[in-house]
Amino acid sequence: MPSILQVALDTPLHRLFDYRLPDGLGTVQPGSLVEVPFGRARQVGVVLARQTDSAIGTDKLRDVIRVFDDRPALSPDILRLAQFCADYYHFPLGAILLATLPPRLKNASPFAADTPWLVVTAAGRATEPPARARAQRTLLDALRTAPLGRETVRAHRQSRHAAALVLAGWAQWARLPPPPAERPQTASAPPATAEQQAALDTLLPSFGQFAVHLIHGVTGSGKTELYLRLIDAVLGKQKQALVLIPEIALTPQLEQHFRNRFPGRRINTLHSGLAEGARTENWLTAPDCDVLLGTRLSVFAPLPRLGLIVVDEEHDGSFKQQDGLRYSARDVAIARAKQSKVPVVLGSATPSLESYAQALSGRYRLLELAQRAVSQAQLPAIELVDLKHIPLDNGLTRPALQMLADTLARGEQSLVFLNRRGYAPALYCPSCAWVSPCPRCSARLVLHRTSHRLKCHHCGFETRIPAECPNCGNPDLKPLGQGTQRLEETLAALLPAARIRRIDRDSMRPRAWAELGEAVHGGEVDVLVGTQMLAKGHDFPNMTLALILDTDGALYSPDFRATERLFAQLMQVAGRAGRADKPGRVLIQTAFPDHPLFRYLQRHDYAGYARVLLAEREQLDLPPFTRQVLVRAEAPTMDAALAFLHRAAMLAPDHPQVSVFGATPAPMARVANLERAQLLVQSASRSALQAFVRDWRPQFDNIRPRVVRWSLDVDPLVF
Ligand code: ADP
Ligand code: ZN
Ligand code: ZN
């Protein structure tokens, strides 16, 4: 009887593929990884089932080339989670399964399964290397906390020191990381605040079953501390915790915090800052770790003893993937928690309106931390500078500059927030009004003076700064508006005594965060200039002023989520000011000081503003009161993109609870030489919308557009 495998492959097709399993290739089970011929190439696929027959006819089937015995099979819970995503996001199962794997595992070339671990020996634990050998000492100290994989050792240029430790008998290379040597002991934790204790008393008894808890805690209220206590309880039951964090390079600090708190525990990280090898290694060893700390893709990591999922900063847009499988890691985390019957804790100072509405309706349990954990730490006073009356000079008003100078004179630190990187948002010709267009997008090229380039932040196009206007030849081109680089320059000229540092994607290598954090803590920085990157997670006691420039664009944006996002951002930035015993101040420059957003911001009233926004959304039939699916199409011409969507709309099944809106050009109509159009479908009922799309999507395959690329975005965040 022939053995036939049903295999999921990374293709855009919504189907599985049958292959014959020749004898002697090894054992297979659902989830096993195999190599198969596909067209004229070979692919890595995931076995979903084994059967004795095929609809295709057994003699027409091709043979499996190889069963990988160097890679673990995907576990049933991961297969189930991927199936959930395939159904909910209407995306091919095979593409999802392959996307969840770390890069090396989906590569058909042999994979080094013997990745050894460097572990400390008993002798290494007992000894102290000579004080001269500092690097060896540091490495040995690290090994006493946790074993290190070869990739990590190599990435940190520690191979030489590792060899020295092995030679001395203080460390050895082992096949698998051994279990932690000493009985894990918890590093001293501060006594819980009354609010933290109340939250723990509510949360802990309900653990061991599925529930979604939303922790709404003001910045500095000790949410992280609360997570640590919850995790501690879960680890005590020999279970694992998955902690999802936004896609930003704050992981090193958080990782360190976790390691200090849980010495002897195995803490794995997964994020884009890791080298490929380290990522593969941390994924492969995830089943044995105690805590997995990672960004959105970690939601698919193998965790057989999962006991708790935490989603920190749950409102953060980076939990939503913006290409391929456009999933929300937060929502998938909730689905996973439900499937695994474990609690999920969402935390934020400014929850997404989606989550908050669920909490108000009682479907999620809401826990409030209203006070800062350090009792003297007060919430900052928020003041507005009215740009209608006070003029700007290089993007700054006089009161703002005065406050910066005063803060500097007191020896305290300031933060200046401007959400635009680069030197200036565009280069401008005063004589003909040419404004540096991107040749490939409906966007402006951003001036980057340090690298002497004009860059498109949408498609990556770059060019030299022209010596004269390409349109009229005028040699006197001017920067238009302010970016963080220019602001840094302006501040340096106005405050010559200040030590200024800039944070944005141009200035920050992932590893530079820790160094910058130390510099700020050590008092080596007076003014931090930056984009929203600086709004996150840092705790600087001496930072007493936050200055916020030019946020007005978001107040009257056509994007209905713009005010929600701006409010969250401003709350986060404001939360950076005055965290310790010094009172903080926040100054916002705006031409619209009467906008309601500021009134609620000044009162630090998230709940109040959330209710205002929710009332607006309800009235306008917008999420979270409706569910949306966006069909995106891109093509060389707008006509082709629109024609595809018109055709799709015509094929839409009739459904009384679902509205299909007209096809329109996307707000950014052109990116990288492709015209983009979209079609919105919405319904008050999630299940109605899901049923509708399930019927509708297969029709798309009949349109067979040759030049159009299309995708479905379920619960779209950006339009
Ligand atoms: P959040 O994540 O809510 O912004 P953190 O957990 O970072 O807040 O806590 C803010 C500050 O308060 C940190 O310096 C933290 O060490 C401190 N903190 C948290 N909980 C306590 C507590 N129970 N007692 C004393 N300090 C605390
Ligand atoms: Zn010109
Ligand atoms: Zn471009």
Side-chain angles (χ1 to χ4, degrees):
M1 177 129 356
S3 196
I4 290 161
L5 300 183
Q6 207 175 41
V7 178
L9 293 173
D10 185 6
T11 75
L13 304 174
H14 287 252
R15 52 164 291 208
L16 303 171
F17 300 86
D18 289 350
Y19 288 92
R20 207 167 34 197
L21 179 67
D23 288 337
L25 281 192
T27 50
V28 222
Q29 65 191 83
S32 290
L33 299 183
V34 291
E35 185 180 353
V36 294
F38 188 72
R40 276 191 286 168
R42 296 169 165 207
Q43 271 207 26
V44 174
V46 180
V47 175
L48 288 187
R50 190 173 177 154
Q51 54 209 28
T52 51
D53 211 356
S54 169
I56 307 212
T58 322
D59 50 332
K60 294 211 186 72
L61 293 182
R62 300 171 80 181
D63 281 355
V64 170
I65 299 168
R66 179 153 59 137
V67 177
F68 289 106
D69 56 2
D70 60 349
R71 310 168 199 204
L74 298 181
S75 59
D77 62 321
I78 297 297
L79 295 177
R80 202 165 37 152
L81 189 64
Q83 186 62 57
F84 162 83
C85 290
D87 296 339
Y88 186 74
Y89 293 107
H90 306 275
F91 203 77
L93 179 61
I96 296 173
L97 284 168
L98 273 297
T100 69
L101 293 177
R104 297 224 171 147
L105 295 200
K106 38 187 162 183
N107 204 321
S109 63
F111 161 74
D114 62 339
T115 312
W117 290 80
L118 188 62
V119 299
V120 64
T121 58
R125 248 178 225 294
T127 191
E128 279 304 322
R132 295 175 280 107
R134 279 217 6 230
Q136 287 178 34
R137 215 192 169 96
T138 315
L139 182 59
L140 192 59
D141 280 341
L143 290 176
R144 285 174 175 151
T145 322
L148 291 173
R150 195 184 284 276
E151 292 288 349
T152 311
V153 170
R154 202 179 287 150
H156 287 78
R157 299 174 197 284
Q158 296 286 312
S159 302
R160 199 158 48 86
H161 308 305
L165 291 183
V166 172
L167 212 58
W170 293 328
Q172 66 188 35
W173 292 102
R175 176 77 181 76
L176 275 175
E182 71 232 274
R183 182 74 217 118
Q185 12 144 304
T186 308
S188 72
T193 63
E195 284 186 325
Q196 284 169 341
Q197 193 55 52
L200 286 167
D201 291 345
T202 315
L203 284 162
L204 288 176
S206 73
F207 272 29
Q209 65 193 39
F210 169 68
V212 188
H213 304 272
L214 176 64
I215 299 176
H216 169 222
V218 299
T219 34
S221 60
K223 291 185 291 298
T224 311
E225 180 57 37
L226 185 59
Y227 306 149
L228 289 167
R229 283 169 184 265
L230 296 173
I231 292 165
D232 195 36
V234 166
L235 298 187
K237 298 198 169 104
Q238 275 69 53
K239 300 257 174 156
Q240 300 173 296
L242 167 63
V243 181
L244 296 176
I245 51 175
E247 182 68 63
I248 191 140
L250 283 177
T251 351
Q253 282 104 300
L254 207 55
E255 185 182 342
Q256 198 49 52
H257 199 51
F258 274 63
R259 289 200 193 286
N260 294 342
R261 190 55 174 278
F262 301 119
R265 292 294 195 172
R266 205 174 293 153
I267 294 168
N268 278 20
T269 56
L270 281 178
H271 55 89
S272 55
L274 290 177
E276 213 176 77
R279 230 155 84 198
T280 306
E281 179 179 294
N282 289 357
W283 189 91
L284 282 172
T285 56
D288 296 317
C289 79
D290 295 306
V291 180
L292 178 65
L293 185 63
T295 50
R296 64 177 177 253
L297 200 55
S298 331
V299 76
F300 295 105
L303 297 165
R305 291 173 291 113
L306 185 63
L308 167 69
I309 306 182
V310 173
V311 185
D312 189 22
E313 309 286 358
E314 68 88 27
H315 66 280
D316 197 282
S318 72
F319 285 122
K320 170 95 176 167
Q321 173 137 319
Q322 296 298 357
D323 53 16
L325 174 67
R326 294 168 177 262
Y327 69 106
S328 153
R330 176 192 63 213
D331 297 347
V332 176
I334 294 171
R336 183 166 187 181
K338 191 168 183 182
Q339 290 183 342
S340 307
K341 302 192 180 58
V342 303
V344 54
V345 172
L346 314 178
S348 174
T350 52
S352 63
L353 290 181
E354 276 76 8
S355 298
Y356 198 62
Q358 296 277 18
L360 291 180
S361 75
R363 277 186 297 272
Y364 295 176
R365 303 186 196 183
L366 183 62
L367 291 161
E368 303 265 1
L369 301 180
Q371 308 290 326
R372 287 189 158 185
V374 182
S375 53
Q376 310 92 314
Q378 318 229 317
L379 289 169
I382 298 175
E383 297 152 60
L384 305 173
V385 183
D386 187 347
L387 295 178
K388 286 199 297 294
H389 301 297
I390 302 179
L392 281 174
D393 182 7
N394 276 307
L396 287 169
T397 57
R398 192 174 282 263
L401 193 59
Q402 189 60 50
M403 269 204 194
L404 279 172
D406 291 348
T407 308
L408 183 64
R410 279 198 305 275
E412 295 169 2
Q413 296 165 316
S414 311
L415 171 166
V416 186
F417 173 73
L418 175 64
N419 212 0
R420 263 199 315 256
R421 63 195 175 89
Y423 185 83
L427 190 63
Y428 169 69
C429 170
S431 95
C432 78
W434 174 87
V435 191
S436 57
C438 173
R440 318 198 311 161
C441 304
S442 36
R444 305 286 172 208
L445 294 175
V446 175
L447 176 60
H448 285 250
R449 194 168 260 182
T450 37
S451 54
H452 304 285
R453 319 276 294 167
L454 293 177
K455 296 186 191 177
C456 176
H457 288 184
H458 300 278
C459 72
F461 176 86
E462 283 191 27
T463 175
R464 271 188 318 109
I465 298 176
E468 53 190 39
C469 174
N471 192 36
C472 74
N474 171 17
D476 193 20
L477 295 173
K478 299 264 190 257
L480 184 68
Q482 291 265 345
T484 45
Q485 287 175 14
R486 187 177 192 186
L487 181 61
E488 183 185 19
E489 194 180 283
T490 307
L491 288 170
L494 295 173
L495 302 169
R499 293 158 302 173
I500 301 173
R501 288 282 298 265
R502 176 165 54 85
I503 310 185
D504 54 35
R505 270 200 283 148
D506 302 315
S507 72
M508 298 302 286
R509 290 160 293 115
R511 291 276 156 200
W513 271 102
E515 183 265 322
L516 179 70
E518 275 164 33
V520 177
H521 271 292
E524 295 156 36
V525 176
D526 298 309
V527 181
L528 260 185
V529 174
T531 57
Q532 57 171 349
M533 276 183 105
L534 57 63
K536 312 230 170 156
H538 274 286
D539 195 6
F540 300 132
N542 200 33
M543 183 82 64
T544 59
L545 174 65
L547 187 60
I548 294 165
L549 311 182
D550 207 3
T551 55
D552 286 350
L555 291 176
Y556 295 97
S557 160
D559 178 352
F560 71 86
R561 283 197 177 84
T563 40
E564 176 187 356
R565 250 179 241 133
L566 177 63
F567 190 72
Q569 249 174 25
L570 296 185
M571 289 282 277
Q572 303 278 348
V573 178
R576 299 301 120 208
R579 300 255 294 192
D581 52 347
K582 295 180 180 146
R585 290 174 90 179
V586 177
L587 194 69
I588 302 173
Q589 299 187 155
T590 176
F592 306 99
D594 298 325
H595 194 286
L597 181 145
F598 293 121
R599 215 162 49 240
Y600 290 95
L601 186 69
Q602 285 181 305
R603 290 195 229 124
H604 301 276
D605 186 5
Y606 164 82
Y609 196 49
R611 283 172 196 275
V612 169
L613 291 178
L614 283 172
E616 277 176 23
R617 301 268 185 98
E618 186 162 24
Q619 201 165 25
L620 297 171
D621 273 339
L622 288 169
F625 299 95
T626 50
R627 303 281 167 179
Q628 300 182 323
V629 171
L630 193 71
V631 188
R632 303 167 183 276
E634 40 179 58
T637 66
M638 184 55 83
D639 281 350
L642 285 172
F644 170 80
L645 292 177
H646 289 312
R647 184 102 181 83
M650 269 177 347
L651 293 172
D654 245 347
H655 199 300
Q657 283 170 280
V658 176
S659 325
V660 179
F661 293 90
T664 56
M668 266 279 295
R670 208 166 108 89
V671 173
N673 280 335
L674 287 173
E675 302 286 340
R676 312 190 310 162
Q678 59 193 31
L679 174 65
L680 183 66
V681 182
Q682 88 179 24
S683 171
S685 153
R686 186 201 290 255
S687 56
L689 188 58
Q690 281 291 326
F692 169 88
V693 178
R694 230 183 344 270
D695 287 345
W696 190 29
R697 196 214 40 84
Q699 314 269 353
F700 285 49
D701 300 338
N702 301 331
I703 309 179
R704 293 181 183 280
R706 249 173 307 146
V707 290
V708 182
R709 273 190 30 198
W710 62 271
S711 62
L712 284 180
D713 191 347
V714 178
D715 306 325
L717 276 188
V718 289
F719 286 83

